[in-house]
mmCIF file of all heavy atoms in Angstrom:
data_model
loop_
_atom_site.group_PDB
_atom_site.id
_atom_site.type_symbol
_atom_site.label_atom_id
_atom_site.label_comp_id
_atom_site.label_asym_id
_atom_site.label_seq_id
_atom_site.Cartn_x
_atom_site.Cartn_y
_atom_site.Cartn_z
ATOM 1 N N LYS E 5 16.596 -8.414 -3.680
ATOM 2 C CA LYS E 5 15.721 -7.208 -3.654
ATOM 3 C C LYS E 5 14.813 -7.391 -2.407
ATOM 4 O O LYS E 5 14.614 -8.399 -1.741
ATOM 5 C CB LYS E 5 14.635 -7.182 -4.865
ATOM 6 C CG LYS E 5 13.742 -8.245 -5.091
ATOM 7 C CD LYS E 5 12.978 -8.101 -6.418
ATOM 8 C CE LYS E 5 12.057 -9.258 -6.531
ATOM 9 N NZ LYS E 5 11.277 -9.011 -7.657
ATOM 10 N N THR E 6 14.452 -6.266 -1.963
ATOM 11 C CA THR E 6 13.772 -6.078 -0.724
ATOM 12 C C THR E 6 12.281 -5.995 -1.030
ATOM 13 O O THR E 6 11.914 -5.463 -2.145
ATOM 14 C CB THR E 6 14.072 -4.824 0.190
ATOM 15 O OG1 THR E 6 13.814 -3.637 -0.580
ATOM 16 C CG2 THR E 6 15.571 -4.900 0.476
ATOM 17 N N LEU E 8 9.843 -6.162 1.884
ATOM 18 C CA LEU E 8 9.075 -5.976 3.168
ATOM 19 C C LEU E 8 9.211 -4.534 3.664
ATOM 20 O O LEU E 8 10.432 -3.930 3.576
ATOM 21 C CB LEU E 8 9.631 -6.881 4.163
ATOM 22 C CG LEU E 8 9.459 -8.292 4.005
ATOM 23 C CD1 LEU E 8 10.006 -9.091 5.119
ATOM 24 C CD2 LEU E 8 7.949 -8.673 3.859
ATOM 25 N N THR E 10 8.744 -1.486 6.691
ATOM 26 C CA THR E 10 9.232 -1.202 8.018
ATOM 27 C C THR E 10 8.298 -1.947 9.015
ATOM 28 O O THR E 10 8.735 -2.619 9.824
ATOM 29 C CB THR E 10 9.398 0.246 8.388
ATOM 30 O OG1 THR E 10 10.367 0.732 7.439
ATOM 31 C CG2 THR E 10 9.953 0.319 9.735
ATOM 32 N N ASP E 12 5.861 -4.285 8.448
ATOM 33 C CA ASP E 12 5.894 -5.672 8.255
ATOM 34 C C ASP E 12 7.167 -6.319 8.788
ATOM 35 O O ASP E 12 6.990 -7.432 9.411
ATOM 36 C CB ASP E 12 5.892 -5.994 6.758
ATOM 37 C CG ASP E 12 5.423 -7.490 6.398
ATOM 38 O OD1 ASP E 12 5.242 -8.195 7.261
ATOM 39 O OD2 ASP E 12 5.269 -7.631 5.081
ATOM 40 N N GLY E 14 8.891 -5.278 11.316
ATOM 41 C CA GLY E 14 8.844 -5.284 12.793
ATOM 42 C C GLY E 14 7.974 -6.387 13.328
ATOM 43 O O GLY E 14 8.219 -6.984 14.317
ATOM 44 N N ILE E 15 6.742 -6.527 12.694
ATOM 45 C CA ILE E 15 5.829 -7.439 13.149
ATOM 46 C C ILE E 15 6.430 -8.835 13.009
ATOM 47 O O ILE E 15 6.369 -9.646 13.886
ATOM 48 C CB ILE E 15 4.467 -7.356 12.258
ATOM 49 C CG1 ILE E 15 3.783 -5.976 12.674
ATOM 50 C CG2 ILE E 15 3.621 -8.573 12.490
ATOM 51 C CD1 ILE E 15 2.735 -5.666 11.789
ATOM 52 N N ILE E 17 9.571 -9.812 13.014
ATOM 53 C CA ILE E 17 10.755 -10.068 13.922
ATOM 54 C C ILE E 17 10.101 -10.190 15.322
ATOM 55 O O ILE E 17 10.471 -11.236 15.991
ATOM 56 C CB ILE E 17 11.708 -8.874 13.910
ATOM 57 C CG1 ILE E 17 12.425 -8.830 12.602
ATOM 58 C CG2 ILE E 17 12.690 -9.013 15.032
ATOM 59 C CD1 ILE E 17 13.167 -7.635 12.367
ATOM 60 N N ILE E 21 10.323 -13.930 17.347
ATOM 61 C CA ILE E 21 10.948 -13.937 18.652
ATOM 62 C C ILE E 21 10.125 -14.575 19.733
ATOM 63 O O ILE E 21 10.359 -15.377 20.507
ATOM 64 C CB ILE E 21 11.619 -12.603 19.046
ATOM 65 C CG1 ILE E 21 12.760 -12.287 18.280
ATOM 66 C CG2 ILE E 21 11.958 -12.659 20.604
ATOM 67 C CD1 ILE E 21 13.345 -10.878 18.339
ATOM 68 N N LEU E 26 8.406 -18.919 23.222
ATOM 69 C CA LEU E 26 7.300 -19.880 23.560
ATOM 70 C C LEU E 26 7.726 -21.382 23.455
ATOM 71 O O LEU E 26 7.432 -22.196 24.144
ATOM 72 C CB LEU E 26 6.004 -19.552 22.938
ATOM 73 C CG LEU E 26 5.288 -18.299 23.518
ATOM 74 C CD1 LEU E 26 4.170 -17.994 22.596
ATOM 75 C CD2 LEU E 26 4.995 -18.295 24.918
ATOM 76 N N ALA E 28 10.914 -22.522 23.198
ATOM 77 C CA ALA E 28 11.920 -22.861 24.111
ATOM 78 C C ALA E 28 11.432 -23.149 25.515
ATOM 79 O O ALA E 28 11.896 -23.979 26.247
ATOM 80 C CB ALA E 28 12.958 -21.716 24.159
ATOM 81 N N GLY E 33 4.314 -26.254 20.549
ATOM 82 C CA GLY E 33 5.063 -27.352 20.015
ATOM 83 C C GLY E 33 6.073 -26.987 18.994
ATOM 84 O O GLY E 33 6.531 -25.703 18.956
ATOM 85 N N ILE E 38 8.716 -22.025 13.309
ATOM 86 C CA ILE E 38 8.402 -21.061 12.287
ATOM 87 C C ILE E 38 8.897 -19.650 12.593
ATOM 88 O O ILE E 38 9.130 -18.956 11.716
ATOM 89 C CB ILE E 38 6.867 -20.958 12.059
ATOM 90 C CG1 ILE E 38 6.371 -22.314 11.582
ATOM 91 C CG2 ILE E 38 6.470 -19.757 11.124
ATOM 92 C CD1 ILE E 38 4.803 -22.437 11.447
ATOM 93 N N GLY E 39 9.151 -19.391 13.762
ATOM 94 C CA GLY E 39 9.635 -18.084 14.227
ATOM 95 C C GLY E 39 11.046 -17.776 13.709
ATOM 96 O O GLY E 39 11.404 -16.697 13.467
ATOM 97 N N ALA E 41 11.887 -18.594 10.583
ATOM 98 C CA ALA E 41 11.742 -18.103 9.103
ATOM 99 C C ALA E 41 11.223 -16.573 9.287
ATOM 100 O O ALA E 41 11.638 -15.652 8.517
ATOM 101 C CB ALA E 41 10.723 -18.891 8.426
ATOM 102 N N GLY E 46 12.357 -10.920 8.274
ATOM 103 C CA GLY E 46 12.426 -9.577 8.825
ATOM 104 C C GLY E 46 13.720 -8.958 8.770
ATOM 105 O O GLY E 46 13.956 -7.779 8.285
ATOM 106 N N LEU E 48 16.285 -9.900 6.752
ATOM 107 C CA LEU E 48 16.766 -9.792 5.440
ATOM 108 C C LEU E 48 15.953 -8.926 4.540
ATOM 109 O O LEU E 48 16.334 -8.510 3.529
ATOM 110 C CB LEU E 48 16.939 -11.287 4.888
ATOM 111 C CG LEU E 48 17.735 -12.135 5.519
ATOM 112 C CD1 LEU E 48 17.610 -13.601 4.844
ATOM 113 C CD2 LEU E 48 19.260 -11.641 5.327
ATOM 114 N N VAL E 53 7.617 -15.716 -0.300
ATOM 115 C CA VAL E 53 6.253 -15.815 -0.730
ATOM 116 C C VAL E 53 5.853 -14.523 -1.378
ATOM 117 O O VAL E 53 4.935 -14.697 -2.352
ATOM 118 C CB VAL E 53 5.358 -16.313 0.533
ATOM 119 C CG1 VAL E 53 3.933 -16.439 0.210
ATOM 120 C CG2 VAL E 53 5.960 -17.682 1.051
ATOM 121 N N ASP E 55 7.484 -12.476 -3.040
ATOM 122 C CA ASP E 55 8.185 -12.456 -4.291
ATOM 123 C C ASP E 55 7.389 -13.312 -5.243
ATOM 124 O O ASP E 55 7.190 -12.926 -6.486
ATOM 125 C CB ASP E 55 9.638 -12.820 -4.181
ATOM 126 C CG ASP E 55 10.457 -12.624 -5.361
ATOM 127 O OD1 ASP E 55 10.092 -11.565 -6.111
ATOM 128 O OD2 ASP E 55 11.455 -13.072 -5.502
ATOM 129 N N LEU E 56 6.903 -14.522 -4.987
ATOM 130 C CA LEU E 56 6.193 -15.398 -5.787
ATOM 131 C C LEU E 56 4.922 -14.785 -6.176
ATOM 132 O O LEU E 56 4.386 -14.951 -7.378
ATOM 133 C CB LEU E 56 5.838 -16.717 -5.123
ATOM 134 C CG LEU E 56 7.018 -17.784 -5.061
ATOM 135 C CD1 LEU E 56 6.612 -18.997 -4.223
ATOM 136 C CD2 LEU E 56 7.429 -18.098 -6.379
ATOM 137 N N HIS E 60 4.715 -6.544 -2.407
ATOM 138 C CA HIS E 60 5.687 -5.971 -1.615
ATOM 139 C C HIS E 60 4.882 -4.933 -0.559
ATOM 140 O O HIS E 60 3.917 -4.419 -1.037
ATOM 141 C CB HIS E 60 6.878 -5.076 -2.304
ATOM 142 C CG HIS E 60 6.405 -3.934 -2.995
ATOM 143 N ND1 HIS E 60 6.326 -2.698 -2.552
ATOM 144 C CD2 HIS E 60 5.953 -3.928 -4.287
ATOM 145 C CE1 HIS E 60 5.899 -1.902 -3.405
ATOM 146 N NE2 HIS E 60 5.731 -2.531 -4.482
ATOM 147 N N HIS E 63 6.326 1.171 0.913
ATOM 148 C CA HIS E 63 5.731 2.318 0.258
ATOM 149 C C HIS E 63 6.312 2.605 -1.113
ATOM 150 O O HIS E 63 5.851 3.132 -1.976
ATOM 151 C CB HIS E 63 5.686 3.592 0.923
ATOM 152 C CG HIS E 63 4.894 3.557 2.236
ATOM 153 N ND1 HIS E 63 3.462 3.447 2.221
ATOM 154 C CD2 HIS E 63 5.191 3.384 3.565
ATOM 155 C CE1 HIS E 63 3.015 3.359 3.458
ATOM 156 N NE2 HIS E 63 3.911 3.401 4.233
ATOM 157 N N PRO E 66 10.244 -2.263 -4.636
ATOM 158 C CA PRO E 66 11.344 -3.078 -4.106
ATOM 159 C C PRO E 66 12.728 -2.606 -4.760
ATOM 160 O O PRO E 66 12.759 -2.270 -5.972
ATOM 161 C CB PRO E 66 11.139 -4.590 -4.727
ATOM 162 C CG PRO E 66 9.636 -4.637 -5.058
ATOM 163 C CD PRO E 66 9.284 -3.248 -5.471
ATOM 164 N N ARG E 68 17.181 -3.129 -4.837
ATOM 165 C CA ARG E 68 18.231 -4.089 -4.488
ATOM 166 C C ARG E 68 19.026 -3.597 -3.325
ATOM 167 O O ARG E 68 19.166 -2.497 -2.992
ATOM 168 C CB ARG E 68 19.215 -4.194 -5.828
ATOM 169 C CG ARG E 68 18.683 -4.808 -6.855
ATOM 170 C CD ARG E 68 19.732 -4.771 -8.001
ATOM 171 N NE ARG E 68 19.205 -5.744 -9.100
ATOM 172 C CZ ARG E 68 19.532 -6.986 -9.180
ATOM 173 N NH1 ARG E 68 20.250 -7.632 -8.189
ATOM 174 N NH2 ARG E 68 19.105 -7.682 -10.135
ATOM 175 N N LEU E 69 19.617 -4.623 -2.582
ATOM 176 C CA LEU E 69 20.444 -4.265 -1.434
ATOM 177 C C LEU E 69 21.734 -3.814 -1.982
ATOM 178 O O LEU E 69 22.135 -4.385 -3.095
ATOM 179 C CB LEU E 69 20.600 -5.540 -0.557
ATOM 180 C CG LEU E 69 19.286 -5.992 0.192
ATOM 181 C CD1 LEU E 69 19.569 -7.182 0.936
ATOM 182 C CD2 LEU E 69 18.852 -4.870 1.160
ATOM 183 N N PRO E 70 22.536 -3.013 -1.343
ATOM 184 C CA PRO E 70 23.826 -2.582 -1.830
ATOM 185 C C PRO E 70 24.728 -3.760 -1.743
ATOM 186 O O PRO E 70 24.724 -4.754 -1.128
ATOM 187 C CB PRO E 70 24.256 -1.437 -0.883
ATOM 188 C CG PRO E 70 23.254 -1.409 0.305
ATOM 189 C CD PRO E 70 22.036 -2.186 -0.224
#
Side-chain angles (χ1 to χ4, degrees):
K5 66 182 176 184
T6 62
L8 294 179
T10 304
D12 196 358
I15 291 170
I17 292 169
I21 290 171
L26 292 174
I38 293 171
L48 296 174
V53 175
D55 200 20
L56 286 172
H60 64 91
H63 293 291
R68 290 185 168 268
L69 293 174

